[in-house]
mmCIF file of all heavy atoms in Angstrom:
data_model
loop_
_atom_site.group_PDB
_atom_site.id
_atom_site.type_symbol
_atom_site.label_atom_id
_atom_site.label_comp_id
_atom_site.label_asym_id
_atom_site.label_seq_id
_atom_site.Cartn_x
_atom_site.Cartn_y
_atom_site.Cartn_z
ATOM 1 N N ARG A 130 135.926 91.693 53.506
ATOM 2 C CA ARG A 130 137.220 91.931 54.146
ATOM 3 C C ARG A 130 137.582 90.690 54.953
ATOM 4 O O ARG A 130 136.725 89.976 55.476
ATOM 5 C CB ARG A 130 137.195 93.176 55.018
ATOM 6 C CG ARG A 130 136.266 93.187 56.229
ATOM 7 C CD ARG A 130 136.748 92.441 57.464
ATOM 8 N NE ARG A 130 138.108 92.767 57.813
ATOM 9 C CZ ARG A 130 138.423 93.793 58.593
ATOM 10 N NH1 ARG A 130 137.482 94.540 59.133
ATOM 11 N NH2 ARG A 130 139.695 94.026 58.879
ATOM 12 N N GLY A 131 138.884 90.415 55.045
ATOM 13 C CA GLY A 131 139.360 89.304 55.849
ATOM 14 C C GLY A 131 140.870 89.345 55.915
ATOM 15 O O GLY A 131 141.529 89.674 54.932
ATOM 16 N N GLY A 132 141.413 88.990 57.081
ATOM 17 C CA GLY A 132 142.860 89.069 57.276
ATOM 18 C C GLY A 132 143.540 87.726 57.132
ATOM 19 O O GLY A 132 143.235 86.778 57.865
ATOM 20 N N ALA A 133 144.458 87.618 56.173
ATOM 21 C CA ALA A 133 145.286 86.419 56.021
ATOM 22 C C ALA A 133 146.635 86.610 56.709
ATOM 23 O O ALA A 133 147.220 85.668 57.241
ATOM 24 C CB ALA A 133 145.488 86.104 54.541
ATOM 25 N N PHE A 134 147.155 87.837 56.666
ATOM 26 C CA PHE A 134 148.376 88.212 57.380
ATOM 27 C C PHE A 134 147.963 89.203 58.469
ATOM 28 O O PHE A 134 147.361 90.237 58.168
ATOM 29 C CB PHE A 134 149.389 88.862 56.443
ATOM 30 C CG PHE A 134 149.901 87.946 55.369
ATOM 31 C CD1 PHE A 134 149.248 87.853 54.144
ATOM 32 C CD2 PHE A 134 151.040 87.177 55.567
ATOM 33 C CE1 PHE A 134 149.724 87.018 53.137
ATOM 34 C CE2 PHE A 134 151.519 86.335 54.566
ATOM 35 C CZ PHE A 134 150.853 86.253 53.349
ATOM 36 N N LYS A 135 148.271 88.905 59.721
ATOM 37 C CA LYS A 135 147.792 89.714 60.832
ATOM 38 C C LYS A 135 148.960 90.285 61.629
ATOM 39 O O LYS A 135 149.614 89.570 62.401
ATOM 40 C CB LYS A 135 146.918 88.872 61.768
ATOM 41 C CG LYS A 135 145.663 88.317 61.121
ATOM 42 C CD LYS A 135 144.729 89.414 60.655
ATOM 43 C CE LYS A 135 144.295 90.303 61.784
ATOM 44 N NZ LYS A 135 143.419 91.404 61.289
ATOM 45 N N PRO A 136 149.254 91.585 61.473
ATOM 46 C CA PRO A 136 150.276 92.205 62.324
ATOM 47 C C PRO A 136 149.680 92.458 63.704
ATOM 48 O O PRO A 136 148.726 93.211 63.852
ATOM 49 C CB PRO A 136 150.583 93.509 61.592
ATOM 50 C CG PRO A 136 149.298 93.848 60.887
ATOM 51 C CD PRO A 136 148.651 92.543 60.535
ATOM 52 N N ARG A 137 150.212 91.819 64.722
ATOM 53 C CA ARG A 137 149.642 91.910 66.072
ATOM 54 C C ARG A 137 150.636 92.577 67.017
ATOM 55 O O ARG A 137 151.851 92.476 66.845
ATOM 56 C CB ARG A 137 149.289 90.514 66.599
ATOM 57 C CG ARG A 137 148.410 89.675 65.660
ATOM 58 C CD ARG A 137 147.027 90.268 65.471
ATOM 59 N NE ARG A 137 146.288 90.317 66.710
ATOM 60 C CZ ARG A 137 145.646 89.268 67.239
ATOM 61 N NH1 ARG A 137 145.681 88.094 66.627
ATOM 62 N NH2 ARG A 137 144.967 89.387 68.359
ATOM 63 N N THR A 138 150.106 93.208 68.042
ATOM 64 C CA THR A 138 150.958 93.853 69.030
ATOM 65 C C THR A 138 151.843 92.828 69.727
ATOM 66 O O THR A 138 153.033 93.053 69.965
ATOM 67 C CB THR A 138 150.103 94.599 70.055
ATOM 68 O OG1 THR A 138 149.303 95.579 69.380
ATOM 69 C CG2 THR A 138 150.971 95.285 71.094
ATOM 70 N N SER A 139 151.255 91.671 70.044
ATOM 71 C CA SER A 139 152.024 90.607 70.697
ATOM 72 C C SER A 139 152.544 89.620 69.666
ATOM 73 O O SER A 139 151.786 89.149 68.811
ATOM 74 C CB SER A 139 151.145 89.853 71.700
ATOM 75 O OG SER A 139 151.804 88.670 72.152
ATOM 76 N N PRO A 140 153.821 89.243 69.747
ATOM 77 C CA PRO A 140 154.358 88.247 68.822
ATOM 78 C C PRO A 140 153.791 86.854 69.076
ATOM 79 O O PRO A 140 153.967 85.949 68.259
ATOM 80 C CB PRO A 140 155.864 88.286 69.075
ATOM 81 C CG PRO A 140 155.984 88.763 70.485
ATOM 82 C CD PRO A 140 154.852 89.739 70.669
ATOM 83 N N TYR A 141 153.084 86.666 70.210
ATOM 84 C CA TYR A 141 152.518 85.363 70.543
ATOM 85 C C TYR A 141 151.052 85.246 70.119
ATOM 86 O O TYR A 141 150.461 84.179 70.237
ATOM 87 C CB TYR A 141 152.641 85.118 72.051
ATOM 88 C CG TYR A 141 154.067 85.235 72.540
ATOM 89 C CD1 TYR A 141 154.465 86.319 73.320
ATOM 90 C CD2 TYR A 141 155.030 84.290 72.189
ATOM 91 C CE1 TYR A 141 155.784 86.454 73.741
ATOM 92 C CE2 TYR A 141 156.347 84.411 72.604
ATOM 93 C CZ TYR A 141 156.712 85.494 73.381
ATOM 94 O OH TYR A 141 158.019 85.621 73.788
ATOM 95 N N ALA A 142 150.467 86.338 69.638
ATOM 96 C CA ALA A 142 149.079 86.308 69.181
ATOM 97 C C ALA A 142 148.992 85.681 67.791
ATOM 98 O O ALA A 142 149.993 85.582 67.071
ATOM 99 C CB ALA A 142 148.507 87.719 69.161
ATOM 100 N N PHE A 143 147.791 85.259 67.418
ATOM 101 C CA PHE A 143 147.563 84.638 66.109
ATOM 102 C C PHE A 143 147.979 85.587 64.993
ATOM 103 O O PHE A 143 147.499 86.708 64.910
ATOM 104 C CB PHE A 143 146.083 84.283 65.983
ATOM 105 C CG PHE A 143 145.691 83.685 64.667
ATOM 106 C CD1 PHE A 143 146.265 82.499 64.218
ATOM 107 C CD2 PHE A 143 144.741 84.308 63.869
ATOM 108 C CE1 PHE A 143 145.890 81.943 62.998
ATOM 109 C CE2 PHE A 143 144.355 83.747 62.651
ATOM 110 C CZ PHE A 143 144.933 82.568 62.216
ATOM 111 N N GLN A 144 148.868 85.129 64.126
ATOM 112 C CA GLN A 144 149.442 85.977 63.085
ATOM 113 C C GLN A 144 148.813 85.771 61.711
ATOM 114 O O GLN A 144 149.258 86.363 60.728
ATOM 115 C CB GLN A 144 150.947 85.713 62.979
ATOM 116 C CG GLN A 144 151.704 85.937 64.275
ATOM 117 C CD GLN A 144 151.790 87.390 64.691
ATOM 118 O OE1 GLN A 144 152.062 88.259 63.873
ATOM 119 N NE2 GLN A 144 151.533 87.666 65.955
ATOM 120 N N GLY A 145 147.787 84.932 61.630
ATOM 121 C CA GLY A 145 147.126 84.699 60.351
ATOM 122 C C GLY A 145 147.624 83.444 59.664
ATOM 123 O O GLY A 145 148.668 82.891 60.013
ATOM 124 N N LEU A 146 146.877 83.008 58.648
ATOM 125 C CA LEU A 146 147.195 81.775 57.918
ATOM 126 C C LEU A 146 148.086 82.012 56.710
ATOM 127 O O LEU A 146 148.451 81.062 56.014
ATOM 128 C CB LEU A 146 145.898 81.090 57.463
ATOM 129 C CG LEU A 146 144.934 80.647 58.570
ATOM 130 C CD1 LEU A 146 143.700 79.984 57.949
ATOM 131 C CD2 LEU A 146 145.608 79.715 59.554
ATOM 132 N N GLY A 147 148.392 83.259 56.398
ATOM 133 C CA GLY A 147 149.267 83.543 55.268
ATOM 134 C C GLY A 147 148.634 83.186 53.941
ATOM 135 O O GLY A 147 147.453 83.461 53.692
ATOM 136 N N VAL A 148 149.396 82.540 53.081
ATOM 137 C CA VAL A 148 148.923 82.224 51.730
ATOM 138 C C VAL A 148 147.696 81.325 51.774
ATOM 139 O O VAL A 148 146.774 81.478 50.958
ATOM 140 C CB VAL A 148 150.053 81.564 50.909
ATOM 141 C CG1 VAL A 148 149.528 81.098 49.550
ATOM 142 C CG2 VAL A 148 151.203 82.550 50.712
#
Side-chain angles (χ1 to χ4, degrees):
R130 64 79 48 87
F134 296 90
K135 298 298 301 178
R137 308 295 297 279
T138 301
S139 169
Y141 304 109
F143 178 60
Q144 303 291 316
L146 299 180
V148 174

